Amino acid sequence: MKKLALFMFTLLLILSMAACSDKTAKENEHDSGGTKTIRVVYKDEGPSNPVAKTYYANLEKALKKDEKLDVKFELVEMPQGTYSEKLNLLLLSGDIPDLIYFQGGDQQMVEQQLLEDLTPYIEKSTYIKEILGTHNLERMKNYPYLLWIKPLDSKTPVIRKDWLEQTASSKELMENPTVDNYYTFFKELVAQSSEGKPKYAITTAGDIGELDYLFEMAFGINQTWLKNGTEYEYSKVSTKEKEKLAFYNKLYKEGLLDPQYLTKQWDTKEKAFYDGETAVIVGTNGKVVDIYNGKMKQVNGDNAEVSVLPPAKGEFQGYAPTDITKESRGLAISSQSKNKDTVFKILDYLASPKGQMFDRIGFEGEHYQVTDSGIELNEKYYNEWYARYWEPEEFTTEKPLKTPLLSEPAEKSRELANEFYSEDNLFLIPEELVSKWDAMENLYKEYATDIITGKQPIGNFDKFVSEWKKAGGDEVTEYANKNIK
């Protein structure tokens, strides 16, 4: 079925690309005067976004001034809906921009040879090769089509600092963050709800992935494939997973986990946090925590600064292992583009000192001010600005930053993410097993949800394991044991 779908995809792509050939020729004629049109598709960065329009207009000027590159950016508007699905439809139509931001769905494009291998570009780069982190290098070795130079993407839990300090159990939690101490802390938070405290201790955006960043390693799940004697077994069918789900069910049953966690989206999750409905949410360390901190103080006053919570401690401790198989999101260059070298020059420029200054701190006069003594970031920067492209750990400016790039809680979240870094042993599922793997993952989600919400007893976990093995689990496990190094 998958091969038939890929064949139909290829056929439609060839036909639609042929239909687009006249348009491409006209675009190339338009570019013959020296200005190259670079088409960009990027989530939330379409022409209807005034900040995006200003950003790319300013980038055109900077590239012309600093690099003598004469380019015009054309931003592609994406319709409302799931970005990866809408992007897939756009590319399937044969409309393939030069620079593409992916947030899923990229592997299908790689199979059709529509994305450029970035390895030779990086090797010849002036700046990008110097700012790649260890996790970036490992991911690029395995999958050289997506580039996403950001700090570790581990997610860290945060809570209002005033609420943290008002609980009697917080001191013990911060010194010894065991699963039991987290449970005690959550119970105290919700018990005081009548005093203006939250209804729920924690909520998530639609699944248990964010809970796992906090608790999974404490239950002994330190990698996707766990060593069981001499063999590897998939962590989600292990006894450790069963214990973890039983704990999540306990949180749900006692009203500590938001009963609406399955239907929450990222925006409603954050609103519940700012409005005080929930005490703890989990967000990507660094800039996302910075935005949480800024908005929380904006809504509830300076005393509502956020604090970062440590990962739960048990058999292991950490914010989940880091997947190094590939970037889960990132930027790709179309293999069909006539402007591949130019596109990469733009990406390399954004890694340069001048490019970093442009991308990292926003618009002068709006997000920061330059004075004789240095650069001062303002409240608007902390509340809304984020780098569209690269965020290496080191960032220097010609004049000193009078205010830090990240707030204290955001910096703390980044330090903790680095402190608890560990690598996963996840691997890319081979094409012949992908459809079975997807079905197995859906089976897990169904059972996990029913067990957490009490629709099925925890004893049915063993039934799930049996069904998982029959659905293809035995084949994938055999493959894992042959290929995990």
Side-chain angles (χ1 to χ4, degrees):
M1 182 65 72
K2 181 173 175 59
K3 289 183 179 178
L4 177 60
L6 287 174
F7 171 76
M8 293 301 295
F9 175 88
T10 305
L11 181 61
L12 285 169
L13 189 61
I14 291 169
L15 292 172
S16 54
M17 285 178 72
C20 291
S21 61
D22 288 343
K23 178 184 174 184
T24 302
K26 288 176 183 177
E27 287 175 350
N28 288 339
E29 286 174 14
H30 175 73
D31 289 345
S32 62
T35 301
K36 292 186 176 181
T37 298
I38 306 298
R39 300 184 68 241
V40 179
V41 60
Y42 204 140
K43 186 175 184 287
D44 301 327
E45 298 289 306
S48 62
N49 181 340
V51 177
K53 288 178 68 176
T54 302
Y55 177 94
Y56 283 96
N58 289 350
L59 181 55
E60 289 171 4
K61 295 173 185 174
L63 288 165
K64 195 163 190 177
K65 176 185 175 185
D66 298 333
E67 297 293 317
K68 305 300 185 285
L69 275 181
D70 190 1
V71 300
K72 177 179 175 56
F73 290 102
E74 181 183 315
L75 305 182
V76 178
E77 189 71 72
M78 293 295 288
Q80 293 294 314
T82 304
Y83 177 74
S84 60
E85 292 176 2
K86 300 301 181 184
L87 177 61
N88 187 275
L89 291 173
L90 176 78
L91 302 178
L92 181 60
S93 75
D95 185 359
I96 306 176
D98 302 281
L99 182 60
I100 309 165
Y101 170 77
F102 281 98
Q103 197 167 303
D106 49 282
Q107 283 177 258
Q108 188 178 19
M109 303 305 139
V110 170
E111 289 166 4
Q112 300 304 311
Q113 299 182 332
L114 294 176
L115 303 185
E116 191 78 357
D117 181 342
L118 299 176
T119 306
Y121 295 87
I122 292 171
E123 289 174 351
K124 293 185 291 184
S125 68
T126 302
Y127 303 104
I128 282 181
K129 64 185 176 185
E130 300 298 330
I131 65 170
L132 292 167
T134 302
H135 59 292
N136 299 131
L137 290 167
E138 292 299 321
R139 288 169 178 170
M140 292 303 292
K141 285 180 192 174
N142 296 324
Y143 191 88
Y145 308 100
L146 287 190
L147 191 58
W148 195 239
I149 308 172
K150 301 279 185 177
L152 287 174
D153 50 6
S154 296
K155 296 181 186 295
T156 55
V158 293
I159 184 173
R160 280 178 54 167
K161 185 178 181 180
D162 54 347
W163 286 4
L164 176 69
E165 293 176 343
Q166 288 166 14
T167 56
S169 56
S170 61
K171 186 175 185 297
E172 179 68 17
L173 173 75
M174 299 303 281
E175 292 176 356
N176 186 28
T178 63
V179 171
D180 287 343
N181 284 342
Y182 257 108
Y183 171 71
T184 301
F185 176 64
F186 282 179
K187 287 281 285 184
E188 184 180 359
L189 283 169
V190 173
Q192 296 180 14
S193 60
S194 60
E195 302 171 21
K197 296 294 191 300
K199 290 183 183 178
Y200 314 110
I202 191 167
T203 194
T204 71
D207 60 32
I208 62 173
E210 292 173 348
L211 274 179
D212 287 345
Y213 272 97
L214 180 51
F215 291 111
E216 190 166 69
M217 290 187 75
F219 283 92
I221 304 171
N222 67 325
Q223 290 186 312
T224 297
W225 292 88
L226 303 175
K227 206 67 182 287
N228 187 1
T230 59
E231 298 288 313
Y232 285 100
E233 74 170 339
Y234 187 47
S235 62
K236 288 180 180 176
V237 296
S238 68
T239 56
K240 299 175 190 297
E241 179 72 24
K242 186 176 182 179
E243 292 168 5
K244 184 193 78 176
L245 292 179
F247 175 68
Y248 290 174
N249 168 251
K250 182 181 178 181
L251 297 181
Y252 184 91
K253 187 167 57 177
E254 297 187 20
L256 307 180
L257 171 61
D258 178 6
Q260 303 300 317
Y261 82 93
L262 282 168
T263 56
K264 285 276 197 297
Q265 301 296 319
W266 67 267
D267 54 343
T268 51
K269 175 194 83 170
E270 291 173 7
K271 185 177 187 302
F273 184 53
Y274 303 137
D275 290 350
E277 183 181 280
T278 190
V280 178
I281 61 171
V282 176
T284 306
N285 77 90
K287 189 59 191 176
V288 172
V289 171
D290 212 7
I291 291 172
Y292 287 174
N293 185 59
K295 288 188 177 178
M296 180 60 84
K297 291 197 295 182
Q298 198 175 43
V299 173
N300 296 291
D302 288 343
N303 290 335
E305 178 182 65
V306 304
S307 287
V308 184
L309 296 173
K313 182 171 69 172
E315 188 173 341
F316 300 100
Q317 186 180 17
Y319 296 116
T322 297
D323 179 7
I324 57 170
T325 54
K326 65 185 289 291
E327 300 290 354
S328 60
R329 64 180 68 193
L331 289 147
I333 297 176
S334 165
S335 63
Q336 311 302 305
S337 172
K338 305 295 184 184
N339 302 308
K340 288 180 280 195
D341 288 336
T342 301
V343 173
F344 195 83
K345 283 179 183 177
I346 294 167
L347 298 180
D348 201 31
Y349 169 74
L350 288 162
S352 72
K354 288 183 178 179
Q356 280 286 284
M357 180 71 181
F358 172 85
D359 192 38
R360 294 289 287 271
I361 62 174
F363 307 145
E364 184 177 355
E366 188 172 348
H367 300 99
Y368 68 93
Q369 286 77 36
V370 179
T371 66
D372 291 338
S373 58
I375 299 168
E376 185 171 350
L377 306 173
N378 60 32
E379 189 174 338
K380 193 171 185 182
Y381 162 80
Y382 288 110
N383 289 346
E384 69 178 37
W385 188 260
Y386 58 91
R388 269 67 181 168
Y389 289 87
W390 317 135
E391 288 184 272
E393 292 282 353
E394 293 186 14
F395 173 59
T396 57
T397 55
E398 290 183 4
K399 286 190 173 185
L401 283 171
K402 292 178 66 178
T403 45
L405 200 61
L406 292 174
S407 63
E408 187 177 335
E411 191 61 50
K412 180 66 174 177
S413 72
R414 182 160 291 178
E415 289 172 5
L416 286 171
N418 287 326
E419 178 184 345
F420 289 105
Y421 172 77
S422 64
E423 293 183 357
D424 203 352
N425 58 2
L426 193 64
F427 53 84
L428 292 176
I429 301 297
E431 182 184 339
E432 64 271 18
L433 293 175
V434 167
S435 58
K436 287 185 178 180
W437 179 258
D438 290 343
M440 289 151 55
E441 287 294 274
N442 287 333
L443 185 67
Y444 165 78
K445 290 175 185 176
E446 179 184 336
Y447 268 92
T449 299
D450 286 351
I451 288 170
I452 291 168
T453 57
K455 292 179 182 176
Q456 293 198 53
I458 189 64
N460 280 11
F461 183 82
D462 299 333
K463 181 182 175 185
F464 152 67
V465 173
S466 177
E467 289 184 25
W468 184 87
K469 289 180 177 179
K470 291 177 184 176
D474 286 335
E475 292 174 72
V476 177
T477 302
E478 182 181 355
Y479 180 88
N481 277 284
K482 287 179 180 177
N483 289 275
I484 293 177
K485 299 176 182 178

